[in-house]
Amino acid sequence: LVLDKGKCLVNIKRIVDKTNRSEISYRPHFKTHQSHEIGRWFRDFGIGKCTVSSLQMAKYFAKDGWKDITVAFPLNYLEYKLIDALAAAIKLNLTVCVPGTLTKLSSLIQNKLNIFIEVDTGYHRTGVEHGDIGTIEEILKEIDANNNFSFAGFLSHAGHTYKANSIAEIKEIHFDEVHKLNILKQRYISRYPELILSIGDTPAASVLDHFRDVDEIRAGNLVFYDLTQHEIGSCALEDIAVALVCPVVATYLKRGEIVIYGGGVHFSKDTVQIEGGYASYGSVVEFKEDGWSLPETNRYVKSLSQEHGIIAAEPKEIESIKPGDLIAILPVHSCLTAESMGSYTSLAGEVISRLRTC
Amino acid sequence: LVLDKGKCLVNIKRIVDKTNRSEISYRPHFKTHQSHEIGRWFRDFGIGKCTVSSLQMAKYFAKDGWKDITVAFPLNYLEYKLIDALAAAIKLNLTVCVPGTLTKLSSLIQNKLNIFIEVDTGYHRTGVEHGDIGTIEEILKEIDANNNFSFAGFLSHAGHTYKANSIAEIKEIHFDEVHKLNILKQRYISRYPELILSIGDTPAASVLDHFRDVDEIRAGNLVFYDLTQHEIGSCALEDIAVALVCPVVATYLKRGEIVIYGGGVHFSKDTVQIEGGYASYGSVVEFKEDGWSLPETNRYVKSLSQEHGIIAAEPKEIESIKPGDLIAILPVHSCLTAESMGSYTSLAGEVISRLRTC
């Protein structure tokens, strides 16, 4: 998995500039890269806090000096030992979306925790339904019942922007989310003057130039981007900062197919839809010493098994390709591809490590 | 990822008995489990040779005493250093499916290699088209040109059985494959008296009780099986030997949904189709201390994001489920789930390690 640091830095700078101009906080989600080194690139832009999706990830980044970390994943009180150990060392912000778990956690920890209530503004994955004041009050009661708990605010993830069909639709979802969150803010700000509103999706963070009426943005996929984000309209193909470089193992002229060593265990099985309605597991780009350039033709990965990938190409294009050649492919979902690969190689050939969760 | 060793041993014994009765060789594919310990379970049944899908895997199993290993993946001559090192230590069998690569490898190695020619009998992934004698002759010429190379025989993988809709169709594909391979055997047996025919798919290995006219079976997924194999008709649900145990993080009664910590990075994104035409990422089973039992109801994983899974269930069933509860799920594709998880936990709670490729 080759990483173009230059593209990453442009992607990071873009969102840092936007959040600075909007005078809101940027707390990037680090689940996409999960790398100490890449985390430091954010730090170089003045970013001092981050978001993760597991306690293991929080532990990993705390080790590299991150002192303020939000776990944007529903609290699993079975992990109370790690929660308490981390809370002793850093400012740890947890996310709760159902009543009961905080009460269970309450007697198991000794250290201070900031608690976000996750609000469902329409994605319907996790979170308290935005109008369900009864449930919010139940959770607030659990927070107020323990001096170690502080209410941090309302957190949401408008994951339905990933299914949007236009930039207008992304914005519409975003403004609806912000509206729903602000109704809650108005209701609770006098009781909890420190509460903030935190939102998370990469599409809205990418297509908006200015953010209003929220306090914090967590978007993180934008460090790498991928074909899914390109399909949504969040980025240009040029912005995608990672490519999987795979050796050709066979070519089949008649079938118009190139077989590479690169399969489901490397790419993940997510797809984007391309012209003609076909499912693509990745787009072929031209790989060069100093990076990759965008393809003139429409070669794409048409199928994946565990270790094999099959690229569809015109027979004419295949003639010049031989086993042993290297082909670079932009991934459909960079988070999953990076997770599968377990590390990055810079254009200069250096290995950039990441958290190994498997 | 919890592993029921008892189920594994039954699965291994079944295929060992069948191949013994059929008086053919069994060279299990180890890419599904990728574990020294599980490899030894096969050895306890008298199995002395194995199949892998990468040189890294060959190296891993060679380290545990496997002396005869086939890499059932098209030769990538860029890995010549590892090829040569392994060939010095064990009997290494490689697979070639296009002309040219052996000639490139020829000057780069010093040790003896056995070469299978991969034949495409209808799956159309890799392999020389079964009737393409011209290409087979080209490759044989490359083999004969180097004293370090010996022709081992014809190898095929009838991966199209994975798309079969009935047991009759699996058998039909299998007999067609065997027929095509035997035409090649008849043509070449006098020139290469030692050549063998090696076939690989789990569906045919599962539904047939007796094997004729092939010399070797490589099927490997059958050690664990999964919902894909169950859908095809290769196994009973009871035979599936691995289940992913995930904590509940939220329940939504009205939506009829249970949210678990278990997503695309754990399961993989493969699906099976269940009643009503829905896509399922996994079936819920009842988890107990000493294993799991099959569900009475139809709970299944209806969607996955990176770390979250959403289980569809009747509101009535959800009432008794609380965050922190553990739910066990049979995977759709055990090879990919095991690859993602990186190790196994036995029912007794012991960790069984595997090759870490990421």
Side-chain angles (χ1 to χ4, degrees):
Chain A
L1 185 61
V2 175
L3 174 62
D4 185 327
K5 181 177 176 177
K7 287 179 196 271
C8 276
L9 295 182
V10 170
N11 291 338
I12 296 170
K13 185 172 189 303
R14 192 185 300 118
I15 183 73
V16 169
D17 285 350
K18 281 203 251 183
T19 50
N20 283 346
R21 279 200 311 268
S22 306
E23 294 181 347
I24 63 168
S25 177
Y26 181 42
R27 179 191 287 278
H29 208 311
F30 281 1
K31 76 172 177 177
T32 301
H33 64 78
Q34 294 183 43
S35 162
H36 282 171
E37 180 164 346
I38 300 172
R40 288 178 209 150
W41 301 349
F42 284 87
R43 205 183 268 154
D44 292 343
F45 281 100
I47 303 300
K49 45 200 180 182
C50 66
T51 309
V52 296
S53 54
S54 73
L55 287 160
Q56 285 302 330
M57 252 181 254
K59 185 179 165 190
Y60 172 81
F61 284 108
K63 223 184 262 174
D64 201 44
W66 294 85
K67 295 277 179 210
D68 183 347
I69 301 178
T70 297
V71 183
F73 191 87
L75 166 65
N76 173 16
Y77 73 87
L78 300 177
E79 297 185 277
Y80 66 91
K81 278 184 194 161
L82 186 48
I83 291 172
D84 207 27
L86 278 169
I90 63 163
K91 181 176 174 194
L92 184 64
N93 316 294
L94 298 184
T95 307
V96 169
C97 63
V98 284
T101 53
L102 274 179
T103 301
K104 285 210 167 126
L105 184 69
S106 198
S107 61
L108 300 167
I109 62 140
Q110 310 296 326
N111 293 287
K112 297 214 170 289
L113 287 175
N114 297 292
I115 309 293
F116 278 101
I117 296 180
E118 186 185 357
V119 175
D120 180 2
T121 62
Y123 181 35
H124 305 323
R125 184 174 65 180
T126 50
V128 181
E129 218 274 315
H130 64 93
D132 184 358
I133 301 298
T135 301
I136 289 172
E137 286 290 344
E138 272 186 82
I139 297 172
L140 286 171
K141 212 167 158 184
E142 293 180 85
I143 294 172
D144 293 342
N146 186 328
N147 281 334
N148 278 329
F149 296 157
S150 304
F151 179 51
F154 297 104
L155 174 149
S156 73
H157 176 62
H160 41 325
T161 56
Y162 292 76
K163 302 238 158 109
N165 291 312
S166 67
I167 288 173
E169 195 182 336
I170 294 172
K171 290 182 178 174
E172 196 180 308
I173 291 169
H174 169 76
F175 293 131
D176 178 65
E177 174 189 30
V178 171
H179 174 71
K180 287 167 176 167
L181 288 173
N182 275 284
I183 291 173
L184 290 172
K185 188 172 183 176
Q186 279 167 17
R187 178 187 277 260
Y188 288 106
I189 190 75
S190 58
R191 221 164 111 192
Y192 303 97
E194 309 284 314
L195 84 81
I196 68 160
L197 301 180
S198 173
I199 66 166
D201 63 305
T202 280
S206 300
V207 304
L208 286 156
D209 279 328
H210 197 88
F211 307 101
R212 272 177 224 284
D213 302 328
V214 291
D215 303 294
E216 180 179 275
I217 299 256
R218 302 187 312 278
N221 172 281
L222 43 70
V223 63
F224 293 159
Y225 282 122
D226 52 32
L227 293 178
T228 302
Q229 292 300 329
H230 174 252
E231 188 181 36
I232 294 167
S234 304
C235 69
L237 277 180
E238 288 84 345
D239 299 329
I240 299 174
V242 285
L244 205 53
V245 179
C246 305
V248 171
V249 293
T251 58
Y252 295 94
L253 218 69
K254 277 188 216 160
R255 274 155 47 189
E257 290 178 356
I258 302 164
V259 182
I260 53 170
Y261 176 37
V265 297
H266 310 101
F267 283 94
S268 99
K269 291 271 184 105
D270 276 353
T271 56
V272 287
Q273 196 173 310
I274 57 166
E275 240 186 275
Y278 300 107
S280 162
Y281 295 89
S283 283
V284 175
V285 289
E286 310 283 335
F287 189 58
K288 298 166 187 170
E289 284 286 298
D290 59 341
W292 54 84
S293 58
L294 295 183
E296 287 172 27
T297 57
N298 207 11
R299 275 179 276 169
Y300 69 101
V301 180
K302 67 185 269 191
S303 76
L304 289 178
S305 41
Q306 188 169 346
E307 317 252 358
H308 303 74
I310 296 186
I311 294 172
E314 294 296 317
K316 217 176 120 185
E317 301 172 297
I318 299 176
E319 273 171 13
S320 62
I321 292 169
K322 294 273 164 294
D325 288 355
L326 296 176
I327 286 187
I329 294 154
L330 301 179
V332 169
H333 190 166
S334 58
C335 304
L336 295 184
T337 304
E339 175 91 24
S340 300
M341 294 306 295
S343 69
Y344 311 92
T345 302
S346 74
L347 288 174
E350 291 151 0
V351 174
I352 299 170
S353 68
R354 54 174 272 152
L355 172 62
R356 292 173 63 127
T357 46
C358 85
Chain B
L1 184 61
V2 175
L3 174 63
D4 186 327
K5 181 176 176 177
K7 288 180 195 270
C8 277
L9 295 182
V10 170
N11 291 339
I12 296 170
K13 185 172 188 305
R14 193 185 300 117
I15 183 72
V16 169
D17 285 351
K18 281 203 250 182
T19 48
N20 283 346
R21 278 201 311 269
S22 305
E23 295 181 345
I24 63 168
S25 178
Y26 182 42
R27 179 192 287 278
H29 207 311
F30 280 2
K31 75 172 179 178
T32 301
H33 65 78
Q34 293 182 44
S35 162
H36 282 172
E37 180 164 346
I38 300 171
R40 288 177 208 150
W41 301 349
F42 283 86
R43 205 182 269 153
D44 292 344
F45 281 100
I47 302 300
K49 47 199 178 180
C50 67
T51 308
V52 296
S53 54
S54 72
L55 286 160
Q56 285 302 330
M57 252 181 253
K59 185 180 165 188
Y60 172 81
F61 284 107
K63 223 184 262 176
D64 201 44
W66 294 85
K67 295 276 180 210
D68 182 349
I69 301 179
T70 296
V71 183
F73 191 87
L75 165 66
N76 173 16
Y77 72 86
L78 299 178
E79 297 186 276
Y80 66 91
K81 279 184 194 161
L82 187 48
I83 291 171
D84 206 27
L86 278 168
I90 64 164
K91 182 178 174 193
L92 185 64
N93 316 294
L94 299 183
T95 307
V96 169
C97 63
V98 283
T101 54
L102 274 179
T103 301
K104 285 210 168 124
L105 185 69
S106 198
S107 60
L108 300 167
I109 63 140
Q110 310 297 326
N111 292 287
K112 297 214 170 287
L113 287 174
N114 297 291
I115 308 294
F116 278 100
I117 295 179
E118 186 184 357
V119 175
D120 179 1
T121 61
Y123 181 35
H124 305 320
R125 184 174 66 179
T126 49
V128 180
E129 219 273 316
H130 65 93
D132 185 357
I133 301 299
T135 301
I136 290 172
E137 286 289 344
E138 272 186 81
I139 298 173
L140 286 172
K141 211 166 157 184
E142 293 181 85
I143 295 173
D144 293 343
N146 186 329
N147 280 334
N148 277 328
F149 297 157
S150 305
F151 179 51
F154 297 104
L155 175 150
S156 73
H157 176 62
H160 42 323
T161 56
Y162 292 77
K163 302 238 158 110
N165 292 311
S166 67
I167 288 173
E169 196 182 336
I170 294 171
K171 290 183 179 173
E172 197 180 308
I173 291 169
H174 168 78
F175 293 131
D176 178 63
E177 175 190 29
V178 170
H179 174 70
K180 287 168 175 167
L181 288 173
N182 275 284
I183 291 174
L184 290 171
K185 189 172 182 177
Q186 278 166 16
R187 177 187 277 261
Y188 288 105
I189 191 74
S190 57
R191 221 163 110 192
Y192 302 97
E194 308 284 313
L195 83 81
I196 68 160
L197 301 180
S198 172
I199 66 166
D201 64 305
T202 280
S206 300
V207 304
L208 286 157
D209 279 327
H210 197 88
F211 307 100
R212 270 177 228 283
D213 301 329
V214 291
D215 303 295
E216 178 179 275
I217 298 256
R218 301 187 313 277
N221 172 283
L222 44 70
V223 62
F224 293 159
Y225 282 123
D226 51 33
L227 293 178
T228 301
Q229 292 300 328
H230 174 253
E231 189 181 38
I232 294 168
S234 304
C235 68
L237 278 180
E238 289 84 344
D239 298 329
I240 300 175
V242 285
L244 204 54
V245 179
C246 304
V248 171
V249 293
T251 59
Y252 295 93
L253 219 69
K254 276 188 215 160
R255 274 157 43 192
E257 289 177 357
I258 302 165
V259 183
I260 53 169
Y261 177 36
V265 297
H266 310 101
F267 283 94
S268 99
K269 291 270 183 105
D270 276 354
T271 57
V272 286
Q273 195 174 310
I274 57 166
E275 237 185 277
Y278 300 107
S280 162
Y281 295 90
S283 283
V284 174
V285 290
E286 311 283 334
F287 189 59
K288 298 167 187 172
E289 285 286 299
D290 58 341
W292 54 83
S293 58
L294 295 183
E296 286 173 28
T297 59
N298 207 9
R299 277 180 277 170
Y300 69 100
V301 180
K302 66 185 270 193
S303 74
L304 289 178
S305 40
Q306 189 169 346
E307 316 252 358
H308 303 74
I310 296 186
I311 293 171
E314 293 296 315
K316 218 175 121 185
E317 300 172 297
I318 299 177
E319 272 169 15
S320 62
I321 292 170
K322 295 272 165 290
D325 288 355
L326 296 177
I327 287 187
I329 295 153
L330 302 180
V332 170
H333 190 166
S334 58
C335 304
L336 294 184
T337 303
E339 175 90 25
S340 300
M341 295 306 295
S343 68
Y344 312 91
T345 303
S346 74
L347 288 172
E350 292 152 358
V351 173
I352 299 170
S353 68
R354 54 174 270 152
L355 172 63
R356 293 173 64 127
T357 45
C358 87

